[in-house]
Amino acid sequence: MRFHGYFRSSASYRCRIGFNLKGIGYEFVPVHLLNEGGQQKKPDYQALNPQMLVPTLEAGDLTVGQSLAILEWLDETHPEPPLLPANADDRARARAFALAIACDTHPFQNLRVLQYLRDDLAQDKDGVDRWLQRWLGGGLAACEQLLAARENQTTFCFGETPGLADICLVPQLFSARRFNIDLSNMPRIVAIDEACNALSAFADAHPSKQPDAD
């Protein structure tokens, strides 16, 4: 398997955690989102991923982008340990939590969005910061409420072992701290983040430990 990613990309970070939890090795191909005007925009990479986003996974005849699709594929082709709960209701809750981050929170911090705010809409640092506080802070506050509503307050998002929801949460909290989002009223997500990062699968996936970190 060849995995194209970027050390600071939340979506790439999710997949790294998934690979680590599954104990799956891969060939890493760095795609720097800033160097050379953005290596993701080069024709050879665009041919792999027309969205010009990271990550992209190549595995045999399969070429697929989108971190959640990659993670679901990993779970289906390498089922142990599972990334989703055994119970159908809990699987739905875990997927909903993961999508709340991957689809409704993370995209607002995406590099191309922030570049558009700065370059095309002429937003200064204060404007961009207010944007991030509104969307990242609001998205994580909703996630805290989802966790508060659980019938069982488990160590990880939806059980006593980490799964898809935790895989999405941890990179988002890394970004939240990077963008100075106030997490003081979100004790559940902070506690889960700490529990996850105590595990090597999460700690070894941290952006600072990646070969392309600069």
Side-chain angles (χ1 to χ4, degrees), residues 30-87:
V31 181
H32 203 291
L33 301 187
L34 295 173
N35 288 353
E36 303 175 68
Q39 293 174 349
Q40 74 278 16
K41 300 174 185 176
K42 290 186 173 295
D44 57 343
Y45 187 75
Q46 187 177 358
L48 282 177
N49 188 324
Q51 286 188 286
M52 296 180 283
L53 299 172
V54 290
T56 301
L57 177 68
E58 294 180 275
D61 294 331
L62 174 70
T63 300
V64 64
Q66 292 295 336
S67 62
L68 293 192
I70 293 170
L71 289 164
E72 292 261 10
W73 178 85
L74 282 175
D75 211 28
E76 291 171 3
T77 57
H78 300 78
E80 295 298 330
L83 299 182
L84 287 165
N87 177 276

Tab-separated table of all heavy atoms in Angstrom, residues 30-87:
chain	number	residue	atom	x	y	z
A	30	PRO	N	5.080	11.626	0.753
A	30	PRO	CA	4.709	12.955	1.238
A	30	PRO	C	4.182	13.857	0.125
A	30	PRO	O	4.705	13.851	-0.992
A	30	PRO	CB	6.017	13.501	1.816
A	30	PRO	CG	7.085	12.772	1.081
A	30	PRO	CD	6.534	11.409	0.781
A	31	VAL	N	3.141	14.589	0.447
A	31	VAL	CA	2.577	15.596	-0.456
A	31	VAL	C	2.515	16.895	0.345
A	31	VAL	O	1.635	17.053	1.199
A	31	VAL	CB	1.168	15.199	-0.955
A	31	VAL	CG1	0.625	16.260	-1.906
A	31	VAL	CG2	1.197	13.836	-1.624
A	32	HIS	N	3.454	17.802	0.101
A	32	HIS	CA	3.519	19.039	0.888
A	32	HIS	C	2.499	20.037	0.342
A	32	HIS	O	2.521	20.390	-0.837
A	32	HIS	CB	4.921	19.634	0.860
A	32	HIS	CG	5.197	20.536	2.015
A	32	HIS	ND1	4.576	21.769	2.152
A	32	HIS	CD2	6.006	20.393	3.101
A	32	HIS	CE1	4.997	22.345	3.263
A	32	HIS	NE2	5.852	21.526	3.865
A	33	LEU	N	1.611	20.481	1.199
A	33	LEU	CA	0.506	21.328	0.762
A	33	LEU	C	0.898	22.782	0.548
A	33	LEU	O	0.081	23.564	0.026
A	33	LEU	CB	-0.639	21.252	1.783
A	33	LEU	CG	-1.216	19.856	2.042
A	33	LEU	CD1	-2.442	19.963	2.942
A	33	LEU	CD2	-1.559	19.132	0.750
A	34	LEU	N	2.128	23.161	0.915
A	34	LEU	CA	2.568	24.549	0.753
A	34	LEU	C	3.754	24.683	-0.203
A	34	LEU	O	3.827	25.648	-0.962
A	34	LEU	CB	2.932	25.143	2.124
A	34	LEU	CG	1.781	25.277	3.117
A	34	LEU	CD1	2.303	25.717	4.476
A	34	LEU	CD2	0.738	26.263	2.613
A	35	ASN	N	4.666	23.726	-0.167
A	35	ASN	CA	5.851	23.808	-1.025
A	35	ASN	C	5.471	23.745	-2.502
A	35	ASN	O	4.520	23.061	-2.881
A	35	ASN	CB	6.824	22.676	-0.704
A	35	ASN	CG	7.528	22.867	0.631
A	35	ASN	OD1	7.390	23.904	1.277
A	35	ASN	ND2	8.272	21.864	1.064
A	36	GLU	N	6.234	24.468	-3.301
A	36	GLU	CA	6.041	24.471	-4.761
A	36	GLU	C	4.630	24.892	-5.155
A	36	GLU	O	4.079	24.423	-6.154
A	36	GLU	CB	6.358	23.094	-5.353
A	36	GLU	CG	7.761	22.583	-5.042
A	36	GLU	CD	7.965	21.171	-5.552
A	36	GLU	OE1	7.985	20.992	-6.788
A	36	GLU	OE2	8.099	20.261	-4.711
A	37	GLY	N	4.061	25.787	-4.368
A	37	GLY	CA	2.697	26.225	-4.648
A	37	GLY	C	1.638	25.201	-4.294
A	37	GLY	O	0.466	25.364	-4.615
A	38	GLY	N	2.052	24.149	-3.590
A	38	GLY	CA	1.135	23.074	-3.213
A	38	GLY	C	1.332	21.880	-4.118
A	38	GLY	O	0.889	21.879	-5.267
A	39	GLN	N	2.035	20.866	-3.610
A	39	GLN	CA	2.325	19.696	-4.437
A	39	GLN	C	1.060	18.924	-4.803
A	39	GLN	O	1.062	18.159	-5.769
A	39	GLN	CB	3.321	18.791	-3.713
A	39	GLN	CG	4.698	19.416	-3.561
A	39	GLN	CD	5.646	18.594	-2.709
A	39	GLN	OE1	5.241	17.642	-2.042
A	39	GLN	NE2	6.919	18.976	-2.712
A	40	GLN	N	-0.006	19.124	-4.038
A	40	GLN	CA	-1.271	18.460	-4.353
A	40	GLN	C	-1.882	18.959	-5.658
A	40	GLN	O	-2.789	18.325	-6.216
A	40	GLN	CB	-2.263	18.636	-3.191
A	40	GLN	CG	-2.874	20.024	-3.058
A	40	GLN	CD	-1.976	21.007	-2.327
A	40	GLN	OE1	-0.790	20.773	-2.164
A	40	GLN	NE2	-2.544	22.117	-1.871
A	41	LYS	N	-1.388	20.100	-6.163
A	41	LYS	CA	-1.919	20.674	-7.401
A	41	LYS	C	-1.162	20.211	-8.634
A	41	LYS	O	-1.544	20.553	-9.762
A	41	LYS	CB	-1.880	22.205	-7.308
A	41	LYS	CG	-2.698	22.766	-6.160
A	41	LYS	CD	-2.499	24.265	-6.026
A	41	LYS	CE	-3.218	24.808	-4.791
A	41	LYS	NZ	-2.954	26.261	-4.590
A	42	LYS	N	-0.093	19.468	-8.440
A	42	LYS	CA	0.696	19.006	-9.581
A	42	LYS	C	-0.087	17.966	-10.391
A	42	LYS	O	-0.878	17.191	-9.835
A	42	LYS	CB	2.019	18.423	-9.092
A	42	LYS	CG	2.964	19.488	-8.545
A	42	LYS	CD	4.316	18.904	-8.211
A	42	LYS	CE	5.307	20.000	-7.835
A	42	LYS	NZ	5.585	20.898	-8.974
A	43	PRO	N	0.110	17.935	-11.720
A	43	PRO	CA	-0.691	17.045	-12.579
A	43	PRO	C	-0.634	15.579	-12.188
A	43	PRO	O	-1.656	14.881	-12.262
A	43	PRO	CB	-0.091	17.277	-13.968
A	43	PRO	CG	0.482	18.665	-13.914
A	43	PRO	CD	0.993	18.823	-12.503
A	44	ASP	N	0.542	15.090	-11.766
A	44	ASP	CA	0.628	13.671	-11.441
A	44	ASP	C	-0.208	13.326	-10.222
A	44	ASP	O	-0.832	12.257	-10.161
A	44	ASP	CB	2.084	13.237	-11.247
A	44	ASP	CG	2.818	14.017	-10.176
A	44	ASP	OD1	2.333	15.099	-9.782
A	44	ASP	OD2	3.897	13.558	-9.729
A	45	TYR	N	-0.259	14.247	-9.233
A	45	TYR	CA	-1.092	13.971	-8.064
A	45	TYR	C	-2.572	14.178	-8.390
A	45	TYR	O	-3.430	13.411	-7.929
A	45	TYR	CB	-0.696	14.838	-6.869
A	45	TYR	CG	-1.446	14.433	-5.610
A	45	TYR	CD1	-1.100	13.277	-4.926
A	45	TYR	CD2	-2.542	15.161	-5.163
A	45	TYR	CE1	-1.811	12.860	-3.807
A	45	TYR	CE2	-3.261	14.757	-4.035
A	45	TYR	CZ	-2.892	13.606	-3.362
A	45	TYR	OH	-3.608	13.192	-2.266
A	46	GLN	N	-2.880	15.198	-9.172
A	46	GLN	CA	-4.276	15.436	-9.550
A	46	GLN	C	-4.850	14.248	-10.312
A	46	GLN	O	-6.046	13.956	-10.213
A	46	GLN	CB	-4.401	16.704	-10.398
A	46	GLN	CG	-5.847	17.101	-10.677
A	46	GLN	CD	-5.960	18.396	-11.445
A	46	GLN	OE1	-4.955	19.035	-11.753
A	46	GLN	NE2	-7.172	18.792	-11.764
A	47	ALA	N	-3.989	13.544	-11.050
A	47	ALA	CA	-4.458	12.346	-11.752
A	47	ALA	C	-4.880	11.254	-10.766
A	47	ALA	O	-5.796	10.477	-11.048
A	47	ALA	CB	-3.365	11.822	-12.674
A	48	LEU	N	-4.209	11.198	-9.602
A	48	LEU	CA	-4.582	10.250	-8.561
A	48	LEU	C	-5.816	10.709	-7.798
A	48	LEU	O	-6.691	9.911	-7.455
A	48	LEU	CB	-3.432	10.078	-7.558
A	48	LEU	CG	-2.242	9.208	-7.927
A	48	LEU	CD1	-1.205	9.265	-6.806
A	48	LEU	CD2	-2.668	7.770	-8.170
A	49	ASN	N	-5.860	11.998	-7.498
A	49	ASN	CA	-6.925	12.551	-6.663
A	49	ASN	C	-7.419	13.853	-7.295
A	49	ASN	O	-6.828	14.910	-7.072
A	49	ASN	CB	-6.404	12.794	-5.245
A	49	ASN	CG	-7.504	13.175	-4.274
A	49	ASN	OD1	-8.451	13.867	-4.637
A	49	ASN	ND2	-7.384	12.733	-3.034
A	50	PRO	N	-8.477	13.802	-8.107
A	50	PRO	CA	-8.962	15.000	-8.796
A	50	PRO	C	-9.368	16.139	-7.866
A	50	PRO	O	-9.410	17.300	-8.291
A	50	PRO	CB	-10.168	14.480	-9.593
A	50	PRO	CG	-9.885	13.030	-9.798
A	50	PRO	CD	-9.196	12.596	-8.527
A	51	GLN	N	-9.654	15.814	-6.594
A	51	GLN	CA	-9.975	16.875	-5.640
A	51	GLN	C	-8.737	17.646	-5.196
A	51	GLN	O	-8.857	18.705	-4.590
A	51	GLN	CB	-10.654	16.291	-4.398
A	51	GLN	CG	-12.087	15.851	-4.618
A	51	GLN	CD	-12.731	15.483	-3.290
A	51	GLN	OE1	-12.428	14.440	-2.719
A	51	GLN	NE2	-13.600	16.343	-2.809
A	52	MET	N	-7.561	17.080	-5.472
A	52	MET	CA	-6.283	17.691	-5.062
A	52	MET	C	-6.238	17.875	-3.546
A	52	MET	O	-5.845	18.924	-3.033
A	52	MET	CB	-6.032	19.012	-5.790
A	52	MET	CG	-5.861	18.857	-7.283
A	52	MET	SD	-5.575	20.416	-8.158
A	52	MET	CE	-7.266	21.067	-8.164
A	53	LEU	N	-6.650	16.822	-2.853
A	53	LEU	CA	-6.644	16.797	-1.400
A	53	LEU	C	-5.829	15.601	-0.931
A	53	LEU	O	-5.601	14.648	-1.681
A	53	LEU	CB	-8.072	16.695	-0.846
A	53	LEU	CG	-9.031	17.835	-1.180
A	53	LEU	CD1	-10.442	17.470	-0.734
A	53	LEU	CD2	-8.583	19.135	-0.518
A	54	VAL	N	-5.398	15.637	0.315
A	54	VAL	CA	-4.810	14.462	0.947
A	54	VAL	C	-5.781	13.989	2.023
A	54	VAL	O	-6.544	14.785	2.562
A	54	VAL	CB	-3.419	14.777	1.570
A	54	VAL	CG1	-2.402	15.025	0.480
A	54	VAL	CG2	-3.476	15.943	2.552
A	55	PRO	N	-5.735	12.667	2.285
A	55	PRO	CA	-4.831	11.645	1.776
A	55	PRO	C	-5.368	10.972	0.525
A	55	PRO	O	-6.526	11.166	0.134
A	55	PRO	CB	-4.779	10.654	2.927
A	55	PRO	CG	-6.182	10.703	3.482
A	55	PRO	CD	-6.600	12.151	3.379
A	56	THR	N	-4.501	10.148	-0.073
A	56	THR	CA	-4.894	9.211	-1.114
A	56	THR	C	-4.212	7.880	-0.808
A	56	THR	O	-3.026	7.856	-0.473
A	56	THR	CB	-4.465	9.694	-2.510
A	56	THR	OG1	-5.064	10.964	-2.795
A	56	THR	CG2	-4.891	8.694	-3.583
A	57	LEU	N	-4.976	6.811	-0.918
A	57	LEU	CA	-4.433	5.474	-0.706
A	57	LEU	C	-4.421	4.720	-2.031
A	57	LEU	O	-5.407	4.731	-2.771
A	57	LEU	CB	-5.297	4.702	0.297
A	57	LEU	CG	-4.887	3.246	0.553
A	57	LEU	CD1	-3.553	3.174	1.276
A	57	LEU	CD2	-5.968	2.498	1.320
A	58	GLU	N	-3.289	4.082	-2.321
A	58	GLU	CA	-3.179	3.150	-3.442
A	58	GLU	C	-2.944	1.758	-2.867
A	58	GLU	O	-1.980	1.553	-2.132
A	58	GLU	CB	-2.025	3.521	-4.357
A	58	GLU	CG	-2.182	4.842	-5.090
A	58	GLU	CD	-0.977	5.106	-5.971
A	58	GLU	OE1	0.020	5.655	-5.447
A	58	GLU	OE2	-1.035	4.762	-7.172
A	59	ALA	N	-3.819	0.836	-3.211
A	59	ALA	CA	-3.703	-0.541	-2.720
A	59	ALA	C	-4.134	-1.474	-3.840
A	59	ALA	O	-5.331	-1.638	-4.090
A	59	ALA	CB	-4.566	-0.751	-1.484
A	60	GLY	N	-3.159	-2.065	-4.537
A	60	GLY	CA	-3.499	-2.893	-5.679
A	60	GLY	C	-4.188	-2.073	-6.748
A	60	GLY	O	-3.688	-1.036	-7.177
A	61	ASP	N	-5.384	-2.519	-7.148
A	61	ASP	CA	-6.141	-1.807	-8.172
A	61	ASP	C	-6.955	-0.645	-7.602
A	61	ASP	O	-7.590	0.093	-8.364
A	61	ASP	CB	-7.100	-2.774	-8.883
A	61	ASP	CG	-6.363	-3.835	-9.686
A	61	ASP	OD1	-5.236	-3.554	-10.148
A	61	ASP	OD2	-6.913	-4.943	-9.833
A	62	LEU	N	-6.927	-0.479	-6.309
A	62	LEU	CA	-7.727	0.565	-5.663
A	62	LEU	C	-6.927	1.851	-5.509
A	62	LEU	O	-5.803	1.841	-5.019
A	62	LEU	CB	-8.179	0.095	-4.277
A	62	LEU	CG	-8.896	1.137	-3.414
A	62	LEU	CD1	-10.278	1.445	-3.999
A	62	LEU	CD2	-9.005	0.660	-1.976
A	63	THR	N	-7.533	2.960	-5.912
A	63	THR	CA	-7.026	4.289	-5.592
A	63	THR	C	-8.200	5.067	-5.018
A	63	THR	O	-9.235	5.233	-5.686
A	63	THR	CB	-6.480	5.018	-6.831
A	63	THR	OG1	-5.403	4.258	-7.400
A	63	THR	CG2	-5.957	6.406	-6.457
A	64	VAL	N	-8.062	5.497	-3.775
A	64	VAL	CA	-9.192	6.155	-3.119
A	64	VAL	C	-8.697	7.282	-2.228
A	64	VAL	O	-7.666	7.177	-1.566
A	64	VAL	CB	-10.032	5.121	-2.308
A	64	VAL	CG1	-9.219	4.516	-1.179
A	64	VAL	CG2	-11.306	5.740	-1.773
A	65	GLY	N	-9.434	8.381	-2.246
A	65	GLY	CA	-9.205	9.479	-1.325
A	65	GLY	C	-10.265	9.455	-0.237
A	65	GLY	O	-11.023	8.485	-0.106
A	66	GLN	N	-10.327	10.530	0.538
A	66	GLN	CA	-11.288	10.692	1.623
A	66	GLN	C	-10.970	9.742	2.785
A	66	GLN	O	-11.092	8.518	2.670
A	66	GLN	CB	-12.737	10.502	1.151
A	66	GLN	CG	-13.218	11.590	0.215
A	66	GLN	CD	-13.301	12.951	0.879
A	66	GLN	OE1	-13.434	13.064	2.104
A	66	GLN	NE2	-13.229	14.008	0.067
A	67	SER	N	-10.596	10.337	3.891
A	67	SER	CA	-10.113	9.560	5.031
A	67	SER	C	-11.130	8.558	5.559
A	67	SER	O	-10.768	7.429	5.914
A	67	SER	CB	-9.676	10.511	6.158
A	67	SER	OG	-10.767	11.286	6.613
A	68	LEU	N	-12.404	8.927	5.622
A	68	LEU	CA	-13.377	7.988	6.175
A	68	LEU	C	-13.589	6.797	5.250
A	68	LEU	O	-13.800	5.669	5.714
A	68	LEU	CB	-14.703	8.684	6.468
A	68	LEU	CG	-14.682	9.732	7.587
A	68	LEU	CD1	-16.095	10.125	7.979
A	68	LEU	CD2	-13.921	9.247	8.804
A	69	ALA	N	-13.508	7.022	3.938
A	69	ALA	CA	-13.602	5.905	3.001
A	69	ALA	C	-12.406	4.973	3.174
A	69	ALA	O	-12.550	3.739	3.136
A	69	ALA	CB	-13.684	6.419	1.573
A	70	ILE	N	-11.221	5.552	3.362
A	70	ILE	CA	-10.021	4.743	3.583
A	70	ILE	C	-10.152	3.941	4.869
A	70	ILE	O	-9.849	2.741	4.916
A	70	ILE	CB	-8.774	5.640	3.606
A	70	ILE	CG1	-8.523	6.243	2.210
A	70	ILE	CG2	-7.545	4.870	4.087
A	70	ILE	CD1	-7.461	7.328	2.176
A	71	LEU	N	-10.620	4.577	5.925
A	71	LEU	CA	-10.758	3.897	7.208
A	71	LEU	C	-11.803	2.782	7.161
A	71	LEU	O	-11.599	1.698	7.721
A	71	LEU	CB	-11.106	4.908	8.300
A	71	LEU	CG	-9.962	5.849	8.693
A	71	LEU	CD1	-10.492	7.047	9.468
A	71	LEU	CD2	-8.908	5.103	9.517
A	72	GLU	N	-12.916	3.024	6.476
A	72	GLU	CA	-13.931	1.975	6.332
A	72	GLU	C	-13.366	0.808	5.520
A	72	GLU	O	-13.615	-0.365	5.835
A	72	GLU	CB	-15.186	2.550	5.669
A	72	GLU	CG	-15.949	3.548	6.534
A	72	GLU	CD	-17.147	2.941	7.232
A	72	GLU	OE1	-17.308	1.699	7.215
A	72	GLU	OE2	-17.935	3.717	7.806
A	73	TRP	N	-12.595	1.107	4.470
A	73	TRP	CA	-11.974	0.050	3.679
A	73	TRP	C	-10.996	-0.761	4.524
A	73	TRP	O	-10.987	-1.993	4.464
A	73	TRP	CB	-11.261	0.663	2.467
A	73	TRP	CG	-10.559	-0.344	1.614
A	73	TRP	CD1	-11.109	-1.098	0.612
A	73	TRP	CD2	-9.180	-0.725	1.696
A	73	TRP	NE1	-10.155	-1.931	0.048
A	73	TRP	CE2	-8.961	-1.721	0.697
A	73	TRP	CE3	-8.106	-0.339	2.487
A	73	TRP	CZ2	-7.717	-2.313	0.496
A	73	TRP	CZ3	-6.870	-0.923	2.287
A	73	TRP	CH2	-6.679	-1.898	1.303
A	74	LEU	N	-10.187	-0.061	5.322
A	74	LEU	CA	-9.271	-0.760	6.227
A	74	LEU	C	-10.029	-1.689	7.164
A	74	LEU	O	-9.611	-2.827	7.413
A	74	LEU	CB	-8.464	0.245	7.059
A	74	LEU	CG	-7.296	0.956	6.407
A	74	LEU	CD1	-6.708	1.986	7.368
A	74	LEU	CD2	-6.223	-0.034	5.976
A	75	ASP	N	-11.147	-1.207	7.686
A	75	ASP	CA	-11.903	-2.001	8.650
A	75	ASP	C	-12.540	-3.223	7.993
A	75	ASP	O	-12.671	-4.281	8.621
A	75	ASP	CB	-12.979	-1.133	9.302
A	75	ASP	CG	-13.287	-1.561	10.723
A	75	ASP	OD1	-12.394	-2.126	11.385
A	75	ASP	OD2	-14.423	-1.332	11.172
A	76	GLU	N	-12.918	-3.074	6.721
A	76	GLU	CA	-13.546	-4.191	6.025
A	76	GLU	C	-12.518	-5.220	5.550
A	76	GLU	O	-12.818	-6.426	5.499
A	76	GLU	CB	-14.364	-3.670	4.839
A	76	GLU	CG	-15.598	-2.884	5.278
A	76	GLU	CD	-16.292	-2.190	4.122
A	76	GLU	OE1	-15.846	-2.355	2.967
A	76	GLU	OE2	-17.280	-1.476	4.374
A	77	THR	N	-11.320	-4.755	5.201
A	77	THR	CA	-10.309	-5.677	4.675
A	77	THR	C	-9.391	-6.224	5.763
A	77	THR	O	-8.754	-7.258	5.576
A	77	THR	CB	-9.454	-4.990	3.601
A	77	THR	OG1	-8.845	-3.807	4.142
A	77	THR	CG2	-10.309	-4.603	2.397
A	78	HIS	N	-9.327	-5.526	6.905
A	78	HIS	CA	-8.514	-5.958	8.044
A	78	HIS	C	-9.388	-5.771	9.290
A	78	HIS	O	-9.258	-4.780	10.023
A	78	HIS	CB	-7.237	-5.120	8.158
A	78	HIS	CG	-6.343	-5.207	6.951
A	78	HIS	ND1	-6.601	-4.508	5.783
A	78	HIS	CD2	-5.207	-5.897	6.731
A	78	HIS	CE1	-5.649	-4.765	4.896
A	78	HIS	NE2	-4.794	-5.611	5.445
A	79	PRO	N	-10.308	-6.702	9.533
A	79	PRO	CA	-11.366	-6.468	10.534
A	79	PRO	C	-10.934	-6.453	11.990
A	79	PRO	O	-11.737	-6.059	12.842
A	79	PRO	CB	-12.351	-7.611	10.272
A	79	PRO	CG	-11.570	-8.652	9.562
A	79	PRO	CD	-10.527	-7.940	8.777
A	80	GLU	N	-9.713	-6.848	12.297
A	80	GLU	CA	-9.285	-6.865	13.701
A	80	GLU	C	-8.138	-5.887	13.935
A	80	GLU	O	-7.187	-5.874	13.144
A	80	GLU	CB	-8.858	-8.274	14.101
A	80	GLU	CG	-9.980	-9.294	14.076
A	80	GLU	CD	-11.110	-8.985	15.040
A	80	GLU	OE1	-10.837	-8.368	16.098
A	80	GLU	OE2	-12.249	-9.341	14.744
A	81	PRO	N	-8.215	-5.101	14.984
A	81	PRO	CA	-9.385	-4.881	15.839
A	81	PRO	C	-10.402	-3.997	15.124
A	81	PRO	O	-10.017	-3.144	14.318
A	81	PRO	CB	-8.792	-4.176	17.058
A	81	PRO	CG	-7.627	-3.420	16.504
A	81	PRO	CD	-7.052	-4.293	15.421
A	82	PRO	N	-11.673	-4.172	15.397
A	82	PRO	CA	-12.701	-3.388	14.700
A	82	PRO	C	-12.661	-1.913	15.093
A	82	PRO	O	-12.349	-1.578	16.236
A	82	PRO	CB	-14.008	-4.042	15.143
A	82	PRO	CG	-13.681	-4.679	16.464
A	82	PRO	CD	-12.255	-5.118	16.370
A	83	LEU	N	-12.990	-1.072	14.136
A	83	LEU	CA	-13.039	0.370	14.401
A	83	LEU	C	-14.438	0.858	14.759
A	83	LEU	O	-14.609	2.024	15.123
A	83	LEU	CB	-12.534	1.150	13.175
A	83	LEU	CG	-11.094	0.871	12.742
A	83	LEU	CD1	-10.732	1.753	11.548
A	83	LEU	CD2	-10.121	1.083	13.898
A	84	LEU	N	-15.425	-0.027	14.654
A	84	LEU	CA	-16.803	0.349	14.968
A	84	LEU	C	-17.371	-0.620	16.005
A	84	LEU	O	-16.985	-1.792	16.043
A	84	LEU	CB	-17.669	0.323	13.706
A	84	LEU	CG	-17.420	1.474	12.725
A	84	LEU	CD1	-18.030	1.161	11.373
A	84	LEU	CD2	-17.971	2.783	13.275
A	85	PRO	N	-18.291	-0.154	16.851
A	85	PRO	CA	-18.874	-1.025	17.884
A	85	PRO	C	-19.655	-2.187	17.273
A	85	PRO	O	-20.095	-2.143	16.121
A	85	PRO	CB	-19.810	-0.072	18.647
A	85	PRO	CG	-19.322	1.296	18.336
A	85	PRO	CD	-18.767	1.233	16.949
A	86	ALA	N	-19.847	-3.227	18.076
A	86	ALA	CA	-20.588	-4.410	17.622
A	86	ALA	C	-22.077	-4.142	17.499
A	86	ALA	O	-22.761	-4.707	16.640
A	86	ALA	CB	-20.343	-5.572	18.579
A	87	ASN	N	-22.588	-3.259	18.349
A	87	ASN	CA	-24.016	-2.954	18.384
A	87	ASN	C	-24.384	-1.967	17.275
A	87	ASN	O	-23.709	-0.953	17.084
A	87	ASN	CB	-24.357	-2.377	19.761
A	87	ASN	CG	-25.798	-1.960	19.883
A	87	ASN	OD1	-26.159	-0.858	19.489
A	87	ASN	ND2	-26.621	-2.835	20.433
